[in-house]
Amino acid sequence: MTVSFQNGMESSVSAVPLFLVPTGTETFDQRKQLAVQPIPDGRVFALFVLDIPQDLMRHLDILLECSGGQTVTKTLNVTSYTG
């Protein structure tokens, strides 16, 4: 999976962590970190090799950790079915 972003003049992305959250719960105590990629200066993407479990329905939280302590979060619905 590739996560791409655009660095701005005021801040730049330093790391991209990914989390899975069970659907219907929306609680952070059941949130599981899948991976995190540090971002070297000048790069505008993070590349992840993920092993998503089969027969899964979850939310995928993608965080952009930026300089200055800012974070940006995008939540996607993920479904994996092998039926």
Side-chain angles (χ1 to χ4, degrees):
M1 179 174 134
T2 302
V3 175
S4 62
F5 48 86
Q6 183 176 16
N7 284 322
M9 297 282 285
E10 298 82 26
S11 65
S12 60
V13 176
S14 58
V16 180
L18 301 179
F19 297 90
L20 275 181
V21 182
T23 58
T25 60
E26 311 301 357
T27 57
F28 286 111
D29 62 336
Q30 296 181 33
R31 185 171 144 168
K32 178 183 173 189
Q33 184 172 350
L34 291 178
V36 63
Q37 287 287 325
I39 305 299
D41 286 341
R43 185 181 287 172
V44 292
F45 68 92
L47 184 61
F48 296 91
V49 177
L50 300 177
D51 184 19
I52 302 285
Q54 298 177 5
D55 298 330
L56 171 83
M57 184 179 285
R58 304 265 193 240
H59 299 296
L60 176 66
D61 287 345
I62 303 168
L63 273 68
L64 301 180
E65 294 181 354
C66 305
S67 59
Q70 298 177 19
T71 60
V72 177
T73 304
K74 177 69 175 176
T75 301
L76 306 171
N77 292 322
V78 176
T79 303
S80 172
Y81 179 69
T82 59

